[in-house]
Every structure is written in C-alpha cells, then in structure tokens.
Amino acid sequence: MKIVIVGTGYVGLVTGACLAEVGTEVVCVDVNTAKIERLQNDVLPIYEPGLLEIVKRNRQDGRLFFTTDLASALPGAEVVFIAVGTPPGEDGSADLQYVLQVASQIGQLMEHYLVIVTKSTVPVGTAAQVNRAVKNSLDARQRILDYDVASNPEFLKEGAAVNDFMKPDRIVVGVNTAKARQTLEQLYHPFLLNGHPILFMDIASAEMTKYAANAMLATRISYMNDIANLCGLVGADINQVRKGIGSDPRIGKHFLYPGIGYGGSCFPKDVKALMQTGREYGYQLRILDAVEAVNEDQKKLLFGKVLRHFDGDIRNKKFAVWGLSFKPNTDDMREAPSLVLIDSLLEAGAIVSVYDPVAMEEAHGYLGNSVTYAEDMYNAAENAVAVLLATEWNTFRMPDWQRLRSLMQSPLLFDGRNIYDNVQLTQLGFTYYGIGKTTDTVNALIQ
Ligand SMILES: NC(=O)c1ccc[n+]([C@@H]2O[C@H](COP(=O)([O-])OP(=O)(O)OC[C@H]3O[C@@H](n4cnc5c(N)ncnc54)[C@H](O)[C@@H]3O)[C@@H](O)[C@H]2O)c1
C-alpha cells in the first residue's frame, strides 16, 4: 500500500515514519524546502526519541520518501493524510487555511480514487469543508473522480510519539463509506495484530473525540493545580493527596501532577478551539472557561513565590531556570510555561541563566540574547540566588546537592514540578518551595 502525508511536522513525520516501519510505502510532503532537504539527509527537524533510527532505516530500505512536490507523490497512492498545522485564529477557533489549501491542491492534482484523511486536529464540520474544497478543484478541472473524506485524529504525545504511534491505546477513525473504512482498516491492520483497538465512528464524532480528549486532560491538570494551591494554604501536601485519590480506579493515577500549568502546541489551542465551537453553536463550555483561567494563573505561580520570597525586589539577582521545553523529552517550546516565567523574571529586572538538555537551540528563537545559555545545570546555577525548575527532565531528578549549594549564592529552590523531596532538601539546608506542599505553608508563614 502506498500513502502520502502532507505536512511533515511532529504528527506528519512520526505518522509517516511509523507507517513505513510496518511496511507501507510513504511519501511525506511539505512546503518547507529546508526541512525536506534536511530530512533527505537524515536530519530531523525535531527531537523525538527513537524517531531518527526509524527514519534512517526506512529511507535506506526505500519505503520512506520526502518531497516538496505533491504532484509527484500522488500517483499510485491509496490514502492521503492531511497533517498540517491548525493554529489558533484571533477568536480562538482552529485556523483551517492550511488544511483547506491542501484539500484544494489534492483536488487539483488527483487522478484516481483516494481516501483523503484529516489527521490534523480539526473542529466538527471540517471534513465537510475538505470535501467541498476537493470537489471545487475537481469541478474547476471539469473532472469527475471518486474519493472519500475521513477523519483520523492523532493522539500521540510529544516525547513518546513513536511508542504511542506503534502501540496506540486506540485508533479513532471517522468514515461515512464502507470503502473508506475498508482501506483504513487495511492500512492499520499491522497495529491491530497486537490487540490495539481501532474505533470506527461517524466523522463528526471522530473530530469531536480529539478535542474532548485534550480538553479532559487539560481539565485534570487545572483541577489538580487548583487543589494543590488550596493544599499549600491549608497545610496539606498535594503529593499525598494525589496518591490518595489516584488509587481510586474511577479516578486513576495518571495525569494527576500539579505544576506550573499546561503548555505545548495542543492543549492551549485545542481548549480554545473547543470553546469557540461551543460559542458558534450558542453553547458556553463553562468548565473550560475555568480550566483556562486556572492555567493562566498557574503559569504565574512560581514567579509570585519568587517575588514574595524576595520582598518584591529581584533586580540584578541571578536566577537559574532548569528546563525550557513545555515538557520533558521534546525540544518543543510552543506555549512553554518556562517562557512566561522567564519573561516575568526579566521584566522584574532579574538576570536569567537557562539550561535544557535538548531545547537550547529552539529556545534561542524565543529568548534571543535576553538570557544566558548555560553549558549544564550546574553552570546555570553558578552565583544564582535561586534555581527554578520549570521542566522535569530526568537529568534534573537527582542533582549533586552539595555541589549545587557550593555554587549558588544562596541555597534556594523553586520546584515547579514537585519532583524534589522537600524534607530532604530542608535537611540539606535549602529553602524549598514546591506546588501545594506543606513547606509552602511554612515558608509563607515565615515570610
Ligand atoms: N504536535 C502534537 O503533539 C500533535 C498531536 C496530535 C495532533 N496534533 C495536530 O496535528 C496537526 C499538526 O501538528 P504538528 O505539531 O505536527 O504541526 P507542525 O507545525 O510541527 O507541522 C506542520 C507542517 O505542515 C507544513 N505545511 C503547512 N502548510 C502546508 C502545505 N500547504 N503543504 C504541505 N505542508 C504544509 C509545515 O511546513 C509544517 O512542517 C495540528 O492540527 C495539531 O493540532 C499535534
């Protein structure tokens, strides 16, 4: 089977590489010439564990190709995935211009039956718009060709994307013809051999499933952040509370970690887009209003603790920020909470030194010369009055505390991801602030 993927970003590249890995012939198309040239030389545009090996292997084996030319990619293909970006428009709705551009182009170039699949995250009703765009292009060519439009939202997590694609919890496919269903069942057959479920449904439900999933996950984060903040005030410890509630199977232990807010390329924009869909239909998603509001406040929380600790004056004081990407195991900086934290520190006159295991180059694009880029976590902390942990990379989990203490101006730690043991750190002489821990209450009372 041959497939084409249009848009070779996080989703398109991982999808293409993983489908090639199970024997499909895949052509990945992108308008970004530099990106395609790099990929043709096995240079990945993103950091994603395990992806490079798969790309290299499948390119060498002649199953994975990269091009900027959609026309040359389409002949012989049975399925075309649209995996381009759907950034938020001014009103928060998903901007569909790239998706619809690709749909029009497919209509201009196709010569035989295709299943045209939206893999980008798109609101309910998009498949119908894609259908119209393809049809308009065909009409303009005065051609009548059979095709189907389907929806196959992607649930991979950056940082674990290859594993998520190869071993999916579920594959969601929205179709409205038996032919499209059969084609996609065949495409995903290799993944079903190991018992991973494929859920066929109508197209609107498939489109909605993706938003409902991301909004649910964002809700869990904001809920836990809200409870954590209350824990800090009343003298409870969110880590204990998290374990206590997570052991109830109705709640489950995953995705219950408080922190400095959600970020990344998906949750913020998908929550906004779902709220906008609600507004378009005259329905207000009140829970998501609160989810967003809590998240906005949470991104400012650590900075608020810093300011309180220093009585509002951090001018010319040096702070080390550990972790920049929006979560570990990716170099993606889109909507990273670390950026909000760093902006606030800089605005208040602080000096900021940053370190991230993989996102340093990416961070340059966002932070320019406003911060210093350290060689490692200890170098970042030299002469700093405090370390602020923004992203919980494994490498930050067990620092050499004595060494760190000797390098810093003062042993002070703001743990934005609750990965450290407050009791141990207090014993080591550090002043410690976490999210929703009893020491926060103690420190607040001492102030
Ligand atoms: N990143 C994730 O973790 C993730 C997970 C699930 C779903 N999604 C969704 O998948 C979609 C893509 O996200 P992403 O993170 O991969 O985006 P991305 O920005 O990394 O990649 C999009 C790619 O599309 C290319 N492109 C734009 N217009 C094009 C055109 N007309 N023809 C060919 N290529 C074109 C861009 O050059 C870019 O390389 C979005 O809708 C996103 O919400 C993302």
Side-chain angles (χ1 to χ4, degrees):
M1 192 178 216
K2 176 182 171 183
I3 67 155
V4 171
I5 299 183
V6 190
T8 310
Y10 280 86
V11 168
L13 181 56
V14 172
T15 302
C18 292
L19 286 173
E21 180 75 357
V22 296
T24 313
E25 182 185 340
V26 180
V27 186
C28 288
V29 182
D30 205 286
V31 285
N32 185 330
T33 313
K35 189 182 265 191
I36 290 298
E37 276 171 7
R38 285 201 297 273
L39 282 164
Q40 285 166 340
N41 290 294
D42 291 334
V43 180
L44 297 195
I46 52 169
Y47 173 82
E48 191 58 52
L51 186 58
L52 181 60
E53 292 80 355
I54 298 186
V55 168
K56 268 188 182 168
R57 185 168 47 245
N58 286 283
R59 259 184 22 82
Q60 269 163 19
D61 292 353
R63 277 193 303 273
L64 180 60
F65 304 90
F66 297 101
T67 179
T68 52
D69 182 21
L70 179 59
S72 68
L74 286 179
E78 289 178 57
V79 180
V80 188
F81 284 97
I82 303 178
V84 296
T86 47
E90 267 175 26
D91 59 1
S93 62
D95 181 350
L96 296 178
Q97 62 168 310
Y98 307 107
V99 170
L100 296 177
Q101 258 167 28
V102 175
S104 301
Q105 253 187 311
I106 294 170
Q108 284 156 19
L109 298 168
M110 64 189 281
E111 289 292 345
H112 60 273
Y113 173 81
L114 283 171
V115 183
I116 301 163
V117 186
T118 47
K119 194 163 249 317
S120 302
T121 302
V122 291
V124 174
T126 303
Q129 291 189 54
V130 166
N131 192 14
R132 269 196 299 280
V134 176
K135 185 164 183 320
N136 287 344
S137 292
L138 285 171
D139 287 349
R141 291 166 64 198
Q142 298 182 330
R143 293 289 303 272
I144 297 170
L145 285 174
D146 189 20
Y147 66 93
D148 279 310
V149 173
S151 161
N152 172 216
E154 182 50 57
F155 296 95
L156 61 76
K157 299 184 285 295
E158 284 179 24
V162 170
N163 191 57
D164 286 348
F165 198 95
M166 297 306 287
K167 298 175 186 166
D169 299 326
R170 79 303 206 186
I171 298 165
V172 169
V173 182
V175 284
N176 55 11
T177 69
K179 200 170 171 185
R181 177 181 171 138
Q182 206 181 5
T183 307
L184 292 170
E185 212 160 28
Q186 198 191 331
L187 175 66
Y188 281 119
H189 181 70
F191 300 89
L192 310 183
L193 292 172
N194 293 331
H196 302 292
I198 188 163
L199 308 174
F200 283 100
M201 54 184 77
D202 63 87
I203 292 176
S205 302
E207 290 171 333
M208 181 55 98
T209 298
K210 174 66 192 177
Y211 283 103
N214 273 1
M216 167 74 100
L217 293 170
T219 301
R220 259 172 103 95
I221 293 175
S222 276
Y223 176 75
M224 286 309 287
N225 282 336
D226 229 8
I227 295 294
N229 294 340
L230 186 59
C231 283
L233 292 172
V234 300
D237 184 334
I238 190 65
N239 275 348
Q240 311 290 333
V241 175
R242 173 175 59 75
K243 288 178 194 154
I245 63 173
S247 45
D248 181 335
R250 291 171 305 175
I251 295 172
K253 62 184 180 343
H254 298 292
F255 233 74
L256 286 182
Y257 292 84
I260 53 171
Y262 60 76
S265 68
C266 293
F267 288 0
K269 87 170 168 56
D270 292 350
V271 166
K272 278 191 173 58
L274 187 55
M275 290 162 77
Q276 180 57 22
T277 299
R279 282 192 286 273
E280 279 163 25
Y281 285 81
Y283 189 79
Q284 191 189 354
L285 288 154
R286 287 160 293 176
I287 289 175
L288 296 187
D289 282 334
V291 167
E292 263 210 320
V294 169
N295 197 55
E296 286 311 300
D297 285 350
Q298 201 70 14
K299 287 193 270 183
K300 299 175 202 144
L301 186 81
L302 217 53
F303 178 67
K305 287 178 194 256
V306 169
L307 265 196
R308 269 198 303 284
H309 181 90
F310 288 98
D311 280 336
D313 186 6
I314 58 168
R315 267 171 306 166
N316 300 321
K317 291 188 166 66
K318 179 180 167 183
F319 291 84
V321 175
W322 284 359
L324 298 170
S325 54
F326 86 93
K327 67 173 178 177
N329 298 321
T330 178
D331 60 351
D332 199 342
M333 292 283 302
R334 290 179 281 187
E335 301 253 358
S338 67
L339 293 171
V340 177
L341 174 64
I342 292 167
D343 268 1
S344 307
L345 290 167
L346 292 172
E347 215 166 277
I351 298 158
V352 179
S353 176
V354 301
Y355 175 70
D356 186 285
V358 302
M360 296 293 263
E361 201 183 318
E362 192 66 16
H364 259 281
Y366 290 83
L367 299 167
N369 296 326
S370 62
V371 298
T372 42
Y373 298 90
E375 283 161 22
D376 60 34
M377 59 199 268
Y378 297 105
N379 176 227
E382 270 171 39
N383 294 318
V385 293
V387 165
L388 283 69
L389 180 93
T391 315
E392 68 279 29
W393 284 89
N394 275 345
T395 185
F396 299 136
R397 278 178 195 266
M398 189 96 85
D400 177 341
W401 294 115
Q402 303 297 353
R403 181 177 170 199
L404 187 65
R405 219 192 128 156
S406 69
L407 291 169
M408 296 175 68
Q409 251 185 55
S410 49
L412 174 60
L413 197 105
F414 294 86
D415 178 2
R417 300 291 175 179
N418 275 0
I419 65 170
Y420 300 121
D421 180 343
N422 40 351
V423 176
Q424 185 206 3
L425 279 180
T426 312
Q427 281 165 357
L428 285 166
F430 278 81
T431 303
Y432 172 89
Y433 293 89
I435 311 282
K437 292 189 180 178
T438 34
T439 42
D440 286 356
T441 321
V442 175
N443 284 327
L445 291 173
I446 292 168
Q447 291 309 304

